[in-house]
Amino acid sequence: MVGVIQALNYCVHSFCTGGRSSEALDGTDGSVDPHGMGHYYARTFKYAEGDSGLERDWPLHPRALKALQLQQEIARVIRPEGKAHLWVLLQDGAEPAGSPLRNVNEPVVQAVSQLGLSHLTGQSRPHSHRWRHTLARLIALCVAAAPQVLMDLFGHHDLEMTLRYMLSDPAIAQDVKKVAAEIAYAVAEEALTDVESGAAGGPAATSLRVGIADFKMRRGENALGTDSMSEAIKILTFNGRLWELVRPGVLCTKGLGQFGPCTQGRGSPDAGACRTGCDHRLEMARAKTDCAGVLAKLLDEHAAASEEGADMVLANIEGQILANLLRWDDLRERVLADSETASMIWSSRKAA
């Protein structure tokens, strides 16, 4: 029974983090955040120089945190006094019971068998690495920025390696393409609705608003209906192949043959180099709330840096505050009215 519980604790943790078995088995009591902040600390070895590995952390779902806390209780009973490893041998073998567990695959296979689930595993064994593939496929299906999320979570240095995990199953690959197309359509529809209602921001909003007005005039419509919305989306996004979501609530509307500051020329947009002043940047209505939160946090950081006399940090924060103040006219007016610091920073910009 204890063996099944330990294996299931490992499975819950592995499914939630997508970590390699060597990274999970490196865990100690100190790996589990005592403050319950939802992080797991251990070392990764595959791409680290030397033999000591590289320390990193993984986000933890509350269920994974609960599984690890239960595993701590099991380990403390079984391992020798003064040891801190989380995963333990339960029977004497090459090493005595209580020693660090080196191979988790056999316990997982045994647990699946003891639970009577072996018939669900297909032709391959239920080894621990399958959780990594499962997590990759699920994120590929439900997260718009899946490649970036998985590269960070898995610790990959190469996007191609991440894509192999995401698309290793042909059926999943087909679903990913279908979901990506549906997401692109849904995001474009939300964006055009925001533009039409005047709720969108960013430099691209004005030109799109004029374009939509002309489009409606040609069709003799006062508002975009289902058919006209679908046609507008196909025209503007080139059948869903353009308009990239560069961050939540922010779209790049750069079209074929157009220039942008992120690339300094024609070509695919670079989401990491997106600029608030780019003519192709469209801010959706839901981004305004996020912008307000970012400004509040930046103003708090500015106050703290000012007290510490950190001039270089202050200059960096002020640049970020200015960039966010430029995004929404009505939000800027509200923040300037409420914050003397923001008003001072904005006035200094205009004076410069």
Side-chain angles (χ1 to χ4, degrees):
M1 183 187 68
V2 174
V4 170
I5 293 173
Q6 176 171 248
L8 296 182
N9 287 339
Y10 174 87
C11 287
V12 172
H13 166 263
S14 185
F15 174 63
C16 290
T17 63
R20 301 177 182 89
S21 61
S22 60
E23 295 163 345
L25 295 180
D26 183 64
T28 65
D29 284 342
S31 298
V32 184
D33 186 356
H35 305 295
M37 298 301 291
H39 286 268
Y40 180 77
Y41 303 90
R43 291 174 297 169
T44 183
F45 299 90
K46 188 165 185 177
Y47 299 109
E49 296 181 2
D51 299 328
S52 58
L54 180 68
E55 291 186 357
R56 61 158 293 186
D57 69 302
W58 290 259
L60 277 185
H61 187 278
R63 289 184 181 272
L65 179 60
K66 184 176 180 180
L68 289 172
Q69 290 169 340
L70 177 58
Q71 184 59 32
Q72 278 183 310
E73 296 180 27
I74 292 174
R76 285 169 182 160
V77 172
I78 298 172
R79 70 192 177 203
E81 189 76 25
K83 299 297 181 180
H85 51 275
L86 274 179
W87 311 97
V88 293
L89 280 174
L90 301 180
Q91 297 178 358
D92 290 336
E95 297 181 83
S99 299
L101 183 64
R102 310 291 183 189
N103 178 8
V104 74
N105 287 326
E106 294 308 320
V108 170
V109 170
Q110 292 171 14
V112 170
S113 175
Q114 289 167 341
L115 291 170
L117 301 175
S118 299
H119 64 287
L120 299 176
T121 63
Q123 296 181 352
S124 60
R125 297 187 339 141
H127 56 80
S128 61
H129 203 69
R130 290 179 67 168
W131 289 117
R132 194 169 167 90
H133 283 271
T134 300
L135 181 61
R137 294 168 185 171
L138 288 175
I139 290 180
L141 287 171
C142 64
V143 179
Q148 292 86 349
V149 171
L150 287 170
M151 278 187 72
D152 180 56
L153 186 64
F154 287 175
H156 286 164
H157 296 173
D158 183 354
L159 178 60
E160 184 178 346
M161 188 178 301
T162 303
L163 292 175
R164 283 199 210 107
Y165 276 88
M166 291 171 57
L167 307 175
S168 56
D169 185 316
I172 293 288
Q174 191 62 36
D175 283 344
V176 168
K177 292 177 182 178
K178 180 175 180 291
V179 170
E182 291 171 350
I183 289 173
Y185 186 96
V187 170
E189 182 178 17
E190 179 185 350
L192 290 184
T193 302
D194 289 346
V195 170
E196 188 180 18
S197 66
T206 301
S207 58
L208 281 171
R209 195 172 298 120
V210 172
I212 289 175
D214 291 342
F215 180 78
K216 290 189 295 185
M217 186 179 298
R218 289 196 303 271
R219 294 180 63 99
E221 297 179 344
N222 293 322
L224 290 176
T226 302
D227 292 339
S228 54
M229 174 68 80
S230 178
E231 183 180 344
I233 291 171
K234 289 179 180 178
I235 293 171
L236 290 169
T237 67
F238 202 62
N239 279 335
R241 281 175 279 181
L242 301 177
W243 284 28
E244 181 176 343
L245 192 68
V246 296
R247 55 179 57 90
V250 179
L251 280 171
C252 174
T253 64
K254 183 171 176 284
L256 294 172
Q258 291 183 318
F259 290 87
C262 64
T263 56
Q264 296 299 322
R266 295 181 178 88
S268 299
D270 178 3
C274 185
R275 299 289 182 268
T276 54
C278 176
D279 291 339
H280 308 297
R281 182 181 172 109
L282 180 67
E283 306 262 5
M284 297 160 69
R286 57 190 168 99
K288 187 185 292 188
T289 302
D290 294 336
C291 182
V294 168
L295 280 167
K297 183 178 180 181
L298 286 171
L299 288 168
D300 289 341
E301 292 178 359
H302 187 279
S306 181
E307 288 183 8
E308 296 173 2
D311 294 338
M312 293 184 67
V313 175
L314 273 174
N316 181 280
I317 294 174
E318 288 176 3
Q320 295 182 60
I321 291 173
L322 279 173
N324 281 282
L325 287 174
L326 285 165
R327 294 172 64 184
W328 304 90
D329 292 342
D330 56 339
L331 176 60
R332 178 175 64 249
E333 295 306 317
R334 188 166 72 245
V335 173
L336 295 182
D338 293 341
S339 169
E340 291 184 8
T341 300
S343 182
M344 177 192 67
I345 295 171
W346 183 253
S347 298
S348 65
R349 164 194 173 273
K350 292 194 292 185

